[in-house]
C-alpha cells in the first residue's frame, strides 16, 4: 500500500452469532458488511454502502436476529463473502478514482471484525483477502491518543467517545445496526480531524501474512502474559496449521512450539507466543474453535494451581496411585472418609495428568496433621470403583519430580515466580537423509560443559547458514556429552567456509577441531559408528546379524541430561540371551557400544528450557523409568519385576491408553506397558505387559485372550515360565 494518508474507509461487520465485544468468539459467519469513505484532505465523505452476506450455514441466533434485524430469507438472496468482498473492492476503487486519491486504510471500531471474524473465516474458506485487510486503524486507539483523558482504550465505546466530544446521538430512526456504527465513526473521525484537535491518524495496525519461522534470540526474554496453550490438535498438525487456526492474530517469530510426549511423539498440544498481551487475549476467545472436525482448547499456560498446592506449609503429603481415570475429587474425598479430612477439601487434591489432559491415575493429597495421614494410609489397597488404590507417604520433592515428568514444562516451585518464562522446544526434527554431499561439519574436542548456546556463539556469523534442526550433539553411552557435534549447513560451500574459518578456534579454554564431512559420514556416527583417521566403522545396526533380532530396550530418557532432548533413529543389536538359570531370564538388554545423540533445534533455543524427550524412532523398544513408592528407581535397562504377558496382533496405531483400557480392572499403571518396535522404527504390533504377579498374568491371559482391540483379535502369551 503506497500511503496511509489519502483516505479512510470506515468499516463495520456483523455475524450470525455474537456481536459487539464477543464478535467472532463463536465462529459464526459474517452476514453484514457496511462501509463509507472519508477523504482526509477535503474532509468529505462518500456514499454509505451496506451489503448482506450469505453464510454457508443459514442459521442465525436469536440475539443476532434481534440486533441486526435480518432474517434467513433475506440472507438467502445475498451474495457469498467472496463476491461481497469483490464488490467492496470495486466500489472503493471507483470512489477513490472519482476523488483523485490513490490509497486508503480501513478504520474500525476495535480490531474484532478484522482479526476475529474476517481473517479466520477467509482462512477456513480458502479466500485470499485483498491487501487492504492487512492494515487498519482502530478509532478507539486514535481517539485515546487524541483525548487521553477520555478513559482507557478498552473502556471506550462509540457512545462514550461521542459524548466526550459533545456530538449528539443519531435519532432512533437511523439507529439501524451497521449504518449507525459507521455514521458514528465517520462523525467522530471528522471531528478529531478538525480544530482544535487536528489529529493525524498514525496508529496503524498490521496483520501478519504468514508465520515467521525460526526461534527467538537466546537473549530475548519471553513474557508469560503472551503465551497460550492449545490442546486437542490433530497429531499431524504443523506450526503452519496452528498459525492458520489463529489467523488474524500476530504470532511472535518462531512462536509455535509443538509439544512431545515421553515417546517423542506429538501429544496434540502446542504453546503459542503472541507479539503482545492484547493478541494473547484475543486468542483465548478462540477456545473450542474448530480445526477441521476437532475443537481446540485454548487456555493460559500456567502452573499456578500446582505451585499453590506445593507451597502450602506444614502439610503431610500422601500419594495415591491406581485411581480410576474417571475418578472425581468428590470420589477421592469419599474414599478417604471423614476420619482423614483433606486440607481445604478438593483444593487439597492434585491430580497428575498427561500434557494432553488425560489422567495418569496418580494424585497427591494434603493433610493438616500426622493423625489424618495415618488414617488415610490405612486405606492402602482398598477398592475405589473397580480398582484397588495404593497410598504412600510422599514429599514435596517427590511430587515435583512426578509432576515434572508429566507437565508440559518443568515445574520449579521453589523458585520465586517471574513474569518471564523461557520458550519451549520446537517440533520433532526430521529423519536424517544420507548423501555424499559434504554439506556438514564435525566439531571435535568440545568442552564437556558446552551447550547449544556455546556452539552457536562459536559459529558466529555462520549460524545463519545452519539448516533448521541442524545441530546434533553426540553423547556417550552414559548419556553425557562426548565432545563431538555435527552441524548441517545449507550447502557444501558454507560447510567448507566454516571448516576453514573455525578450525582450532577456542571455545572456553579448549581449541575445537572443525572438519568438513558428508551427511552419510555424519549419519554413521549418529547411528553409533565411528569416524577416525582409519575411516568409517559402521554402527552396530549395520553389522551382519547372525541370529534373528530379539527385542531390546533402550534406557529411559530420564537417564539423559536435561539438555539431551532428542535421540536419533538408533537401532539396537541384541545381546546373547541369558542362560536359563539366570534369576531374571525374561529381562531385556541393549547394546552398550552405541552412541547416543541429542538433537537440538536451530537457530538458538536454550536447551535448558526444553522438557520433552523423544524416543528413538528406530528403537526396538522403549522402557520408562518410574520412581517407586519406596523411593527406589527401577532399572532403566529392563522392565519392572513381575510376570510378563506378550501381546501379539495389536493394531499398529494402538497406544498405551488402548492397552490399559483392554486390561481394565487389572490395576496396571502406564509404566507397565512396553510397546515394541521393529528395526524400521515402526510399531511391530506387539507389546510386553508387566503384571504384579504370575497369577494375575495367567488370569488376564485366560480372560482376555483373543478378545478384540479396535476390531482385531489379540493373542496373549505368558512369558513367566
Amino acid at each position: 500500500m503506497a500511503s496511509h494518508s489519502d483516505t479512510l474507509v470506515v468499516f463495520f461487520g456483523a455475524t450470525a452469532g455474537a456481536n459487539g465485544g464477543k464478535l467472532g468468539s463463536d465462529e459464526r459467519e459474517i452476514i453484514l458488511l457496511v462501509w463509507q469513505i472519508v477523504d482526509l484532505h477535503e474532509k468529505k465523505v462518500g456514499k454509505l454502502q451496506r451489503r448482506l452476506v450469505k453464510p454457508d450455514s443459514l442459521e442465525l441466533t436469536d440475539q443476532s436476529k434481534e440486533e441486526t434485524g435480518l432474517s434467513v430469507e433475506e440472507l438467502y438472496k445475498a451474495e457469498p463473502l467472496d463476491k461481497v468482498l469483490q464488490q467492496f473492492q470495486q466500489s472503493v476503487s471507483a470512489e477513490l478514482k472519482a476523488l483523485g486519491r490513490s490509497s486508503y486504510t480501513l478504520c474500525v471500531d476495535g480490531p474484532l471484525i478484522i482479526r476475529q471474524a474476517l481473517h479466520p473465516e477467509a482462512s477456513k474458506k480458502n479466500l485470499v483477502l485483498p491487501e487492504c485487510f492487512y492494515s487498519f486503524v482502530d478509532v478507539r486507539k486514535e481517539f485515546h491518543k487524541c483525548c487521553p483523558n477520555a478513559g482507557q482504550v478498552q473502556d471506550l465505546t462509540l457512545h462514550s467517545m461521542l459524548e466526550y466530544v459533545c456530538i449528539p446521538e443519531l435519532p432512533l430512526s437511523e439507529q439501524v445496526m451497521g449504518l449507525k456504527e459507521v455514521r458514528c465513526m465517520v462523525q467522530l473521525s471528522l471531528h478529531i480531524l478538525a480544530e482544535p484537535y487536528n489529529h493525524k491518524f498514525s496508529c496503524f495496525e498490521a496483520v501478519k501474512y504468514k508465520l515467521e519461522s525460526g526461534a527467538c534470540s537466546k537473549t530475548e526474554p519471553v513474557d508469560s502474559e503472551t503465551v497460550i496453550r492449545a490442546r486437542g490438535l490433530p497429531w499431524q498438525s504443523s506450526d503452519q496449521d496452528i498459525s492458520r487456526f489463529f489467523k488474524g492474530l500476530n504470532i511472535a517469530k518462531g512462536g509455535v512450539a509443538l509439544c512431545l510426549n515421553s515417546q517423542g511423539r506429538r501429544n496434540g498440544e502446542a504453546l503459542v507466543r503472541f507479539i503482545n498481551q492484547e493478541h494473547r487475549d484475543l486468542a483465548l476467545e478462540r477456545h473450542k474453535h474448530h480445526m477441521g472436525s476437532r475443537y481446540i482448547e485454548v487456555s493460559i499456560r500456567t502452573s499456578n494451581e500446582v505451585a499453590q498446592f506445593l507451597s502450602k506449609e506444614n502439610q503431610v503429603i500422601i500419594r495415591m496411585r491406581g485411581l480410576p481415570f474417571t475418578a472425581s475429587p468428590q470420589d477421592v474425598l469419599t474414599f478417604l472418609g471423614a476420619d482423614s479430612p483433606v486440607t481445604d477439601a478438593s483444593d487439597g487434591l492434585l491430580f497428575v495428568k498427561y500434557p494432553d489432559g488425560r489422567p495418569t491415575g496418580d494424585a497427591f493429597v494434603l493433610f493438616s496433621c500426622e493423625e489424618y495421614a495415618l488414617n488415610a494410609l490405612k486405606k492402602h489397597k482398598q477398592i475405589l470403583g473397580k480398582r484397588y488404590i495404593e497410598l504412600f507417604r510422599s514429599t514435596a520433592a517427590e511430587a515435583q519430580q512426578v509432576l515434572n515428568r508429566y507437565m508440559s514444562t518443568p515445574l520449579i516451585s521453589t523458585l520465586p515466580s517471574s513474569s518471564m518464562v523461557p520458550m519451549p522446544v520446537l517440533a520433532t526434527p526430521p529423519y536424517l537423509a544420507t548423501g555424499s554431499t559434504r554439506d556438514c561439519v564435525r566439531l571435535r574436542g568440545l568442552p564437556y560443559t558446552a551447550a547449544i548456546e556455546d556452539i552457536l556463539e562459536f559459529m558466529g556469523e555462520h549460524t545463519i547458514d545452519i539448516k533448521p534442526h541442524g545441530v546434533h550433539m553426540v553423547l556417550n553411552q552414559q548419556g553425557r556429552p562426548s565432545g563431538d557435534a555435527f552441524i548441517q549447513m545449507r550447502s557444501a560451500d558454507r560447510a567448507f567456509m566454516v571448516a576453514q574459518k573455525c578450525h582450532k578456534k577456542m571455545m572456553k579454554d579448549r581449541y575445537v577441531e572443525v572438519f568438513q564431512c558428508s551427511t552419510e559420514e555424519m549419519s554413521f556416527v549418529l547411528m553409533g559408528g565411528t569416524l577416525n583417521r582409519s575411516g568409517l566403522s559402521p554402527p552396530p545396526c549395520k553389522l551382519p546379524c547372525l541370529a534373528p533380532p530379539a527385542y531390546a530396550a533402550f534406557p529411559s530418557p530420564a537417564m539423559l541430561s536435561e539438555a539431551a532432548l532428542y535421540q536419533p533413529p538408533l537401532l539396537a543389536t541384541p545381546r546373547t540371551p541369558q542362560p536359563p538359570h539366570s534369576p531374571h531370564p525374561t529381562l531385556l538388554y541393549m547394546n552398550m557400544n552405541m552412541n547416543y545423540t541429542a538433537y537440538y533445534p536451530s537457530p538458538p533455543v536454550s536447551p535448558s528450557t526444553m522438557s520433552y524427550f523423544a524416543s528413538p524412532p528406530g528403537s526396538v523398544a522403549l522402557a520408562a523409568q518410574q520412581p517407586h513408592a519406596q523411593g527406589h528407581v527401577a532399572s532403566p535397562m529392563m522392565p519392572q519385576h513381575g510376570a510378563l504377558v506378550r501381546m501379539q496382533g495389536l493394531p499398529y496405531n494402538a497406544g498405551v491408553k488402548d492397552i490399559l483400557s483392554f486390561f481394565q480392572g487389572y490395576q496396571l499403571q502406564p509404566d507397565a506397558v512396553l510397546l515394541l518396535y521393529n528395526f524400521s522404527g515402526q510399531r511391530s504390533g506387539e507389546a510386553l505387559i508387566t503384571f504384579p504377579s504370575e497369577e494375575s498374568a495367567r488370569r488376564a491371559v485366560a480372560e482376555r485372550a483373543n478378545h478384540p482391540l479396535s476390531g482385531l483379535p489379540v493373542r496373549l502369551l505368558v512369558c513367566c515360565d
Side-chain angles (χ1 to χ4, degrees):
M1 199 174 301
S3 171
H4 292 289
S5 60
D6 288 338
T7 316
L8 287 182
V9 176
V10 177
F11 191 78
F12 175 85
T15 73
N19 289 293
K22 286 294 183 178
L23 181 72
S25 63
D26 55 2
E27 291 187 284
R28 302 304 290 264
E29 296 171 271
I30 294 171
I31 59 172
L32 174 66
L33 292 179
V34 185
W35 66 88
Q36 189 171 22
I37 284 181
V38 177
D39 188 328
L40 295 179
H41 293 300
E42 301 294 334
K43 310 298 189 293
K44 295 179 180 179
V45 298
K47 182 180 178 181
L48 186 61
Q49 305 279 355
R50 181 175 184 264
R51 297 288 190 279
L52 302 187
V53 183
K54 181 180 179 181
D56 291 345
S57 176
L58 284 168
E59 294 180 3
L60 279 72
T61 63
D62 293 339
Q63 180 185 5
S64 178
K65 289 178 182 177
E66 181 180 347
E67 291 176 343
T68 64
L70 297 175
S71 65
V72 172
E73 291 74 19
E74 290 177 283
L75 296 179
Y76 182 77
K77 300 174 184 177
E79 297 282 0
L81 181 61
D82 57 339
K83 299 292 185 184
V84 174
L85 292 178
Q86 288 179 13
Q87 294 172 12
F88 167 81
Q89 275 192 290
Q90 293 168 358
S91 170
V92 172
S93 298
E95 287 197 64
L96 281 180
K97 187 175 180 180
L99 291 170
R101 303 303 177 198
S102 59
S103 62
Y104 64 94
T105 301
L106 296 182
C107 177
V108 293
D109 177 27
L112 299 185
I113 180 58
I114 302 292
R115 296 195 183 278
Q116 295 288 68
L118 194 58
H119 276 279
E121 184 173 337
S123 178
K124 289 177 183 176
K125 295 181 176 180
N126 292 317
L127 303 181
V128 179
L129 288 176
E131 186 181 359
C132 64
F133 291 107
Y134 287 86
S135 178
F136 63 92
V137 291
D138 184 346
V139 71
R140 299 186 193 189
K141 292 181 180 178
E142 297 291 343
F143 186 83
H144 181 263
K145 186 177 178 182
C146 180
C147 305
N149 295 327
Q152 297 297 319
V153 173
Q154 60 269 24
D155 298 329
L156 294 176
T157 64
L158 282 175
H159 174 75
S160 67
M161 290 186 288
L162 291 171
E163 189 176 56
Y164 187 83
V165 294
C166 303
I167 297 177
E169 287 239 18
L170 294 171
L172 290 175
S173 59
E174 297 184 30
Q175 292 195 4
V176 177
M177 188 177 196
L179 300 179
K180 175 187 69 174
E181 285 80 4
V182 168
R183 284 174 175 149
C184 288
M185 281 190 279
V186 168
Q187 281 188 322
L188 195 62
S189 299
L190 291 172
H191 192 82
I192 62 177
L193 284 169
E195 296 284 351
Y197 302 103
N198 294 319
H199 181 67
K200 301 292 184 184
F201 285 81
S202 58
C203 300
F204 301 105
E205 297 193 41
V207 179
K208 286 188 177 182
Y209 287 88
K210 60 181 180 178
L211 174 69
E212 295 180 79
S213 59
C216 61
S217 167
K218 61 182 178 180
T219 59
E220 179 185 350
V222 178
D223 186 354
S224 62
E225 296 301 316
T226 65
V227 180
I228 61 92
R229 179 174 63 179
R231 287 170 45 181
L233 300 165
W235 65 268
Q236 71 272 29
S237 299
S238 67
D239 54 353
Q240 295 296 335
D241 295 323
I242 295 168
S243 172
R244 188 173 181 179
F245 176 80
F246 289 109
K247 187 69 175 175
L249 307 179
N250 293 347
I251 298 174
K253 181 180 179 181
V256 177
L258 297 168
C259 299
L260 310 175
N261 61 20
S262 57
Q263 282 78 42
R265 298 177 180 86
R266 295 177 184 174
N267 64 2
E269 183 173 338
L271 299 177
V272 185
R273 181 166 69 103
F274 294 89
I275 61 169
N276 56 39
Q277 186 176 343
E278 178 188 354
H279 287 240
R280 190 282 308 267
D281 292 343
L282 292 176
L284 292 173
E285 292 295 325
R286 300 196 189 181
H287 178 56
K288 293 198 172 181
H289 283 204
H290 288 77
M291 182 183 289
S293 60
R294 303 186 63 170
Y295 72 81
I296 309 301
E297 296 180 24
V298 182
S299 59
I300 298 176
R301 175 178 168 271
T302 177
S303 56
N304 288 344
E305 174 192 1
V306 178
Q308 291 172 8
F309 179 90
L310 294 178
S311 65
K312 294 182 179 180
E313 299 179 356
N314 303 319
Q315 300 291 317
V316 183
I317 302 178
I318 297 295
R319 181 180 179 184
M320 303 179 72
R321 293 201 318 186
L323 291 168
F325 295 145
T326 57
S328 66
Q330 189 56 49
D331 294 333
V332 175
L333 294 175
T334 303
F335 172 82
L336 293 170
D339 58 345
S340 48
V342 177
T343 301
D344 298 330
S346 59
D347 290 339
L349 298 174
L350 182 63
F351 290 90
V352 183
K353 298 181 179 181
Y354 290 105
D356 61 2
R358 291 179 294 115
T360 64
D362 278 26
F364 290 92
V365 189
L366 294 178
F367 296 98
S368 59
C369 65
E370 185 70 23
E371 178 187 354
Y372 295 158
L374 289 174
N375 291 338
L377 289 172
K378 293 176 184 177
K379 297 176 175 62
H380 179 59
K381 292 201 173 182
Q382 290 188 13
I383 301 296
L384 174 57
K386 295 183 179 180
R387 306 186 66 175
Y388 71 84
I389 311 302
E390 298 175 292
L391 288 91
F392 311 95
R393 287 183 177 276
S394 187
T395 63
E398 181 187 7
Q400 184 169 313
Q401 291 177 51
V402 173
L403 291 163
N404 281 350
R405 177 181 177 187
Y406 291 109
M407 289 181 67
S408 56
T409 53
L411 171 70
I412 309 178
S413 63
T414 55
L415 297 181
S417 59
S418 170
S419 61
M420 300 299 176
V421 297
M423 273 302 292
V425 64
L426 302 180
T428 310
Y431 292 110
L432 296 174
T434 60
S436 57
T437 305
R438 297 173 62 79
D439 57 354
C440 303
V441 291
R442 180 188 186 188
L443 275 60
R444 193 169 68 183
L446 295 168
Y448 293 120
T449 57
I452 187 67
E453 294 94 340
D454 300 312
I455 291 178
L456 294 168
E457 184 177 350
F458 174 85
M459 295 280 291
E461 59 183 332
H462 304 289
T463 301
I464 61 173
D465 296 320
I466 299 175
K467 286 185 177 180
H469 308 293
V471 180
H472 313 282
M473 294 187 71
V474 182
L475 309 180
N476 61 22
Q477 57 264 35
Q478 284 78 40
R480 300 187 180 94
S482 66
D484 278 18
F486 286 87
I487 300 176
Q488 291 176 277
M489 308 301 293
R490 295 191 181 276
S491 68
D493 292 339
R494 300 295 182 184
F496 174 81
M497 188 68 67
V498 171
Q500 292 294 313
K501 291 193 174 182
C502 296
H503 183 55
K504 293 197 174 181
K505 183 179 171 182
M506 297 296 292
M507 181 186 293
K508 297 185 178 178
D509 57 347
R510 301 186 62 173
Y511 73 85
V512 177
E513 296 174 291
V514 183
F515 308 101
Q516 187 180 8
C517 65
S518 68
T519 312
E520 182 180 14
E521 293 169 336
M522 177 188 69
S523 298
F524 262 77
V525 176
L526 298 187
M527 296 276 287
T530 57
L531 175 62
N532 51 39
R533 292 181 178 87
S534 303
L536 286 171
S537 297
C541 61
K542 298 290 185 181
L543 296 174
C545 207
L546 301 180
Y551 293 108
F554 275 79
S556 164
M559 289 183 65
L560 305 181
S561 64
E562 187 179 50
L565 297 176
Y566 295 112
Q567 296 175 352
L570 304 179
L571 301 178
T573 304
R575 284 190 174 189
T576 306
Q578 288 183 314
H581 60 271
S582 172
H584 303 291
T586 60
L587 298 182
L588 308 177
Y589 290 87
M590 59 167 285
N591 189 305
M592 291 302 296
N593 296 321
M594 299 180 66
N595 294 335
Y596 299 95
T597 308
Y599 284 60
Y600 293 95
S602 172
V605 176
S606 171
S608 62
T609 71
M610 307 174 188
S611 59
Y612 279 95
F613 291 86
S615 66
S619 65
V620 183
L622 177 64
Q625 180 176 343
Q626 171 79 356
H628 288 257
Q630 292 82 0
H632 300 294
V633 177
S635 170
M637 307 300 297
M638 54 192 71
Q640 297 176 344
H641 301 296
L644 285 176
V645 169
R646 183 169 176 174
M647 300 183 73
Q648 296 178 323
L650 290 170
Y652 290 107
N653 60 351
V656 173
K657 184 179 179 181
D658 301 310
I659 294 173
L660 292 174
S661 298
F662 182 83
F663 287 111
Q664 188 173 11
Y666 290 92
Q667 314 303 322
L668 297 178
Q669 296 295 314
D671 57 345
V673 178
L674 186 68
L675 293 171
L676 303 181
Y677 292 76
N678 60 27
F679 275 74
S680 299
Q682 299 171 335
R683 291 184 184 177
S684 64
E686 300 190 19
L688 293 176
I689 318 299
T690 304
F691 282 80
S693 65
E694 182 176 344
E695 179 185 357
S696 61
R698 293 190 179 281
R699 181 164 59 89
V701 170
E703 293 178 354
R704 303 297 297 167
N706 294 319
H707 278 228
L709 178 59
S710 298
L712 295 177
V714 177
R715 297 183 297 280
L716 302 177
L717 301 170
V718 180
C719 304
C720 50
D721 294 329

